[in-house]
Amino acid sequence: SKAHTVGDLKAEIECSSGISCIEQKLVCCGEDLEDERLLGSLIPADADAMEVDMDTTTTTLELSLIRVDARRAQALHDVRCNGLCLETLSEDLRNDRDIVLAAVKHNGFAVIHAHPELRRDPEIALAAVSDRGFVLRYLEDALKANRDIV
């Protein structure tokens, strides 16, 4: 196997199973793994290695593969590439916290397209303001008074 990152491993899984990369979520020890993560970083420093031959050691790493809803996965992928496409998504996807957070991290102005309930979320507000300070004017007064956000 030539997989060095989680993204590489997802590509191998797609080739062997037909499950597209964006529909895959890999989890290790309860942690969702980002595509850029190096697989070697998941192996604890004190892991027992089994000697296979003079030049190779093998360590077993247990990962869980979760197949996510294709529509949601595509929306998440899209907003990570262009946060403003949040505007074109259905209301249920604009009310999905993970999708909105990804969108505002890419472009803070996307917060204006988020479901009103999520516009009150401090983490989403902070991500939006961190990217585009002027979006503070579109947030609720309680968030404007929050020193962590301002």
Side-chain angles (χ1 to χ4, degrees), residues 86-143:
L86 183 66
E87 178 181 19
T88 66
L89 300 180
S90 63
E91 184 177 351
D92 66 312
L93 293 173
R94 286 185 287 116
N95 195 26
D96 183 302
R97 189 175 188 284
D98 293 336
I99 291 172
V100 171
L101 187 57
V104 300
K105 284 181 176 180
H106 184 269
N107 186 323
F109 194 64
V111 75
I112 69 165
H113 303 299
H115 190 277
E117 190 71 28
L118 290 177
R119 276 187 249 143
R120 296 194 265 295
D121 183 301
E123 185 180 3
I124 289 172
L126 179 59
V129 170
S130 294
D131 182 67
R132 313 272 170 160
F134 71 89
V135 301
L136 187 61
R137 74 180 74 163
Y138 300 105
L139 302 177
E140 299 215 356
D141 289 340
L143 293 170

Side-chain angles (χ1 to χ4, degrees), residues 20 22-23 68-75:
S20 72
I22 63 170
E23 291 179 68
V68 298
D69 175 76
R71 184 173 151 261
R72 182 179 184 277
Q74 186 64 55

